[in-house]
Amino acid sequence: ASRAGVDIDFVLGNAVALPYPDESFDRVLSSLVFSLLSTGHKQLAVRETFRVLRGGGEFHIADFGPPHTLWGRLLASRMRRFPPISDNLDGRLPAMLREAGFESVAQAARFATLLGTISILSGRKPN
């Protein structure tokens, strides 16, 4: 960030207990975190994100998603040996966002990679 001339504060925290007050942010981004969390911790992290977002705020997730290629399906069968990723591979993240109160939940894009499908999800906290 400093090399790019951008003023960013990096804070070490826990996704299931964010160290911020309610309604602190306009946007939250998660990249390759949810595939490492248990189902319960995913649900807690989504609720914590909802809590720290202001009304109208957006949540964006870039993480493994349901496979959409033959290669992705072959990899998914092996990746399922790591239980936390199953929610992602089974496409359960959008429902978790909706259950937490997010609206306009959608998959914005998906990309085939050597390690599987990366899905870009988004949701908005109501005003």
Side-chain angles (χ1 to χ4, degrees):
S2 61
R3 277 186 283 167
V6 180
D7 184 24
I8 297 176
D9 291 329
F10 292 96
V11 176
L12 182 62
N14 186 329
V16 302
L18 296 172
Y20 304 105
D22 296 356
E23 300 188 350
S24 298
F25 297 98
D26 294 317
R27 285 180 189 79
V28 172
L29 169 67
S30 171
S31 177
L32 298 174
V33 172
F34 277 75
S35 55
L36 303 174
L37 301 175
S38 68
T39 299
H41 282 163
K42 284 179 179 123
Q43 292 166 328
L44 286 171
V46 170
R47 287 196 300 267
E48 273 294 277
T49 300
F50 190 86
R51 180 185 66 78
V52 301
L53 277 171
R54 292 182 184 103
E58 299 173 359
F59 184 24
H60 302 278
I61 301 174
D63 214 316
F64 289 100
H68 70 285
T69 64
L70 176 59
W71 177 249
R73 287 188 290 279
L74 290 171
L75 282 173
S77 66
R78 295 241 184 230
M79 293 173 81
R80 287 182 188 284
R81 295 179 184 169
F82 179 64
I85 203 166
S86 293
D87 292 322
N88 296 53
L89 299 177
D90 293 337
R92 293 189 192 119
L93 294 182
M96 288 183 189
L97 270 67
R98 286 185 199 95
E99 288 167 9
F102 284 97
E103 298 178 338
S104 304
V105 175
Q107 177 178 269
R110 67 180 183 192
F111 304 94
T113 73
L114 290 176
L115 297 176
T117 299
I118 299 295
S119 180
I120 311 297
L121 299 174
S122 65
R124 188 180 57 74
K125 182 176 180 176
N127 285 322

